Amino acid sequence: MNTDRKKQLEKFIGVLGLPSFHNLLILDQALTHSSYANENKAKHGYYNERLEFLGDAILDLVVGEYLFLQYPHMPEGELSKARASVVSEAPLAAVCAKFGMGEYILLGKGESASGGRMRASILADAFEAVVGALYIDSSYQEAQKFILHQLKDYLALVASGDYGKDYKTLFQEFVQRDGEQHISYRLCREEGPDHDKTFYMQVVVNGLVLGEGSGKSKKGAEQHAAHEALKQLHAL
């Protein structure tokens, strides 16, 4: 690992308020996308998909444990729904965007040029991989502390009862609280091959674009756009 990358990773640790990593290589792996590894096989043979797999399992456990203890009378079906809402792609990507995770991810040239640093799926996967790296490098307790702190706003939605609603519903209720408004979702563009497309959607209110999001489906991109608009309106 060169000096510049080491400094970048140390800066990232500070931005997130993480404890110092004993092994920076595992954090580097968590922030390496497969597109970069494929382009640099000779000098960079690892990427974050295995850590993402581990981090996904840890996220489910930490958030599930929190909800189980915090809401002792909530039935299993509601617990599952609440957990799914907290650990879904849009919240994870929004948290990453807040502290600029995209600028620390190693991406292939094509992926970077096509806006990969702000792509919800890439950011959410990187968040999971960082959780996995933190668990391996430190402990379950440190990973748990990190997850609960970063997702505290979304865990709070469970207490308010809003977790059962999707972001499109929340957005519609927010903008129409003072009367009927015309809300529409507009496809901006599509990127990638047919089997792995990314869709970009805008949410438009009375002709004004209030948010843009991406996703692997049009519905997912609409959800992300609504979520971004709610953040811009300080409704989350």
Side-chain angles (χ1 to χ4, degrees):
M1 183 187 305
N2 63 41
T3 303
D4 288 344
R5 180 58 172 169
K6 183 178 179 181
K7 288 180 179 178
Q8 188 184 39
L9 292 175
E10 288 171 345
K11 180 182 177 183
F12 177 76
I13 290 168
V15 168
L16 266 64
L18 291 171
S20 295
F21 267 70
H22 301 100
N23 181 6
L24 278 180
L25 285 176
I26 195 155
L27 180 59
D28 189 43
Q29 181 177 351
L31 295 171
T32 299
H33 189 258
S34 59
S35 61
Y36 182 89
N38 289 334
E39 287 182 11
N40 298 272
K41 290 180 180 178
K43 61 178 181 179
H44 205 102
Y46 53 76
Y47 49 93
N48 65 6
E49 289 180 3
R50 283 174 54 85
L51 286 172
E52 172 199 336
F53 167 80
L54 178 61
D56 178 57
I58 296 166
L59 267 169
D60 277 351
L61 175 58
V62 169
V63 173
E65 178 186 38
Y66 174 88
L67 295 173
F68 179 83
L69 296 175
Q70 193 76 9
Y71 303 99
H73 303 298
M74 184 178 283
E76 182 273 335
E78 289 300 310
L79 286 170
S80 295
K81 186 189 299 183
R83 181 179 61 187
S85 73
V86 174
V87 303
S88 62
E89 183 179 283
L92 299 186
V95 167
C96 292
K98 185 171 65 176
F99 49 72
M101 181 183 275
E103 66 183 84
Y104 301 97
I105 299 174
L106 296 178
L107 291 173
K109 293 177 182 177
E111 197 70 61
S112 181
S114 66
R117 296 191 186 282
M118 289 302 294
R119 187 163 297 142
S121 58
I122 289 177
L123 291 175
D125 289 348
F127 183 93
E128 292 174 344
V130 168
V131 167
L134 184 57
Y135 168 76
I136 290 174
D137 188 77
S138 185
S139 66
Y140 172 77
Q141 288 72 25
E142 286 294 342
Q144 179 188 48
K145 180 180 175 182
F146 173 72
I147 291 166
L148 295 180
H149 175 69
Q150 296 297 340
L151 296 178
K152 62 182 185 297
D153 292 342
Y154 300 96
L155 290 166
L157 288 177
V158 178
S160 70
D162 284 334
Y163 69 92
K165 304 175 183 177
D166 59 33
Y167 288 112
K168 288 178 66 176
T169 301
L170 289 173
F171 180 73
Q172 180 175 327
E173 291 177 352
F174 182 79
V175 299
Q176 293 187 343
R177 66 197 186 284
D178 296 321
E180 192 72 20
Q181 309 291 333
H182 183 262
I183 303 170
S184 61
Y185 290 85
R186 184 166 64 204
L187 179 65
C188 303
R189 65 189 188 281
E190 303 174 11
E191 293 179 355
D194 288 341
H195 68 278
D196 189 27
K197 277 191 180 297
T198 298
F199 299 91
Y200 294 82
M201 303 290 294
Q202 292 176 333
V203 58
V204 183
V205 179
N206 299 329
L208 181 66
V209 176
L210 293 185
E212 182 175 328
S214 62
K216 288 300 182 182
S217 68
K218 291 180 181 178
K219 288 184 178 180
E222 289 174 355
Q223 288 287 342
H224 189 214
H227 182 259
E228 290 299 310
L230 284 166
K231 288 197 300 177
Q232 293 295 325
L233 295 170
H234 305 289
L236 282 179

